[in-house]
Amino acid sequence: MIEIQGHRGVLATRHGNTLASFVEALRLGVDAIEVDIWLTADGQLVLRHDAIIRDEDIRRRTLREAAVEKHPATITDVDVETRSPTLAETLALLRFANATGVVLDIEIKTESTPWDEYGQAIVSALSKVLKAHQHEQALRVRSFDPQIVRALSAMLPDVPAIALSRANPGQSLGLYPSEPEALVHAALSTGAAAVAPEFSILNRELVTAAQAAGLKVYPWTLVSEEQISSAVQLGVDGICVNDVALAQRALRAHAVKLPTARPISLPLLDSVAVF
């Protein structure tokens, strides 16, 4: 089995980190939905990729000011949501869809800043929510920051953590390394159960070393059938993709079992805005 992870839902056809994007991912069929979270000034865990939109930093703003982040790669612009959803709202959506077996894969965003008061605050807030839901919803956490993963692994030993990595030749502070042996060592030392390398640094050496150490491998973000086919041939455990339908076509060609489709109707997305 190769897990299909919908990147921010279905970024190819919906703006990312929105309820509409998650509904579309469930309709098509995914094993996991990858989301990004920030902590607002009023203590809310809000879903969007960037902290700063139009010069406004959501870490210093309230939930009501968490504008939906529109993505230029999205081919439709029909969503009615006026603000980004919270983690609590997303968990409620998955319950409503009877999709508690679909992994909610939560990336903790810190912009690679050193461990600080904000890092402690978001880990504390997130751990409280996940502790309340870990026995009713499939969950996973991920971060580029080893200190975030170490802290969450200690607080939530039953929630798998992923070490995210991108090209990092200088071994920048606050980031996992990109060299295979170093990444595997760092992932194990911080309690991660998997590594998620950027596709550009994915290779057989990394896959072999990680899996030999008991780590799963989830490359990101695969955008073409050629990339997906290459990852399959390397024996990865899952793929993070913008286009779920494309990923299904590519995996079908490799005789990979596909996830169950969960079509649902969410009335608030059909007629009114989310406030």
Side-chain angles (χ1 to χ4, degrees):
M1 175 182 170
I2 296 179
E3 183 178 291
I4 296 179
Q5 303 166 358
H7 183 218
R8 308 186 218 169
V10 185
L11 200 56
T13 56
R14 294 289 187 273
H15 297 301
N17 290 315
T18 61
L19 296 180
S21 191
F22 306 151
V23 167
E24 179 69 357
L26 294 171
R27 183 186 72 80
L28 292 169
V30 291
D31 298 293
I33 296 175
E34 186 269 353
V35 302
D36 309 288
I37 64 164
W38 295 95
L39 184 66
T40 63
D42 56 341
Q44 298 294 313
L45 290 164
V46 68
L47 275 58
R48 68 184 198 183
H49 186 266
D50 294 341
I52 300 173
I53 298 178
R54 296 190 295 275
D55 297 324
E56 294 187 352
D57 190 334
I58 196 56
R59 292 167 291 187
R60 299 184 179 90
R61 301 285 179 169
T62 66
L63 173 62
R64 288 184 62 85
E65 298 168 298
V68 169
E69 181 176 13
K70 296 192 174 184
H71 194 274
T74 302
I75 62 172
T76 58
D77 192 20
V78 297
D79 305 336
V80 298
E81 294 165 78
T82 58
R83 69 154 173 83
S84 300
T86 64
L87 179 58
E89 289 166 341
T90 304
L91 287 163
L93 169 65
L94 293 172
R95 289 197 303 274
F96 176 81
N98 294 317
T100 55
V102 173
V103 179
L104 184 60
D105 194 330
I106 303 162
E107 181 180 345
I108 300 91
K109 306 294 288 187
T110 60
E111 293 186 342
S112 303
T113 55
W115 181 253
D116 57 9
E117 185 177 345
Y118 174 79
Q120 295 176 32
I122 193 170
V123 164
S124 177
L126 178 60
S127 65
K128 290 175 183 177
V129 174
L130 297 191
K131 281 179 182 177
H133 292 275
Q134 63 181 328
H135 300 301
E136 61 188 48
Q137 174 66 50
L139 298 167
R140 207 159 49 206
V141 294
R142 59 172 64 195
S143 180
F144 286 101
D145 189 335
Q147 296 180 96
I148 294 288
V149 170
R150 181 182 288 110
L152 284 168
S153 296
M155 291 175 155
L156 301 164
D158 295 329
V159 176
I162 301 176
L164 274 167
S165 180
R166 56 176 179 255
N168 181 22
Q171 303 298 303
S172 301
L173 182 67
L175 292 176
Y176 277 101
S178 55
E179 190 274 325
E181 185 177 344
L183 174 56
V184 169
H185 175 75
L188 292 172
S189 68
T190 52
V195 295
E198 186 178 11
F199 180 75
S200 65
I201 62 171
L202 178 70
N203 55 44
R204 190 168 300 280
E205 179 186 1
L206 174 54
V207 174
T208 300
Q211 292 178 338
L215 299 169
K216 293 188 176 184
V217 181
Y218 302 129
W220 59 277
T221 300
L222 282 59
V223 298
S224 69
E225 292 192 34
E226 291 75 18
Q227 289 182 347
I228 294 169
S229 180
S230 175
V232 170
Q233 291 168 11
L234 289 176
V236 302
D237 299 283
I239 52 174
C240 188
V241 298
N242 291 339
D243 192 330
V244 172
L246 179 145
Q248 291 179 343
R249 290 196 301 271
L251 292 184
R252 193 177 291 114
H254 289 273
V256 174
K257 183 179 178 182
L258 300 179
T260 302
R262 292 178 170 83
I264 64 169
S265 174
L266 197 59
L268 78 140
L269 293 180
D270 296 333
S271 58
V272 297
V274 178
F275 293 101

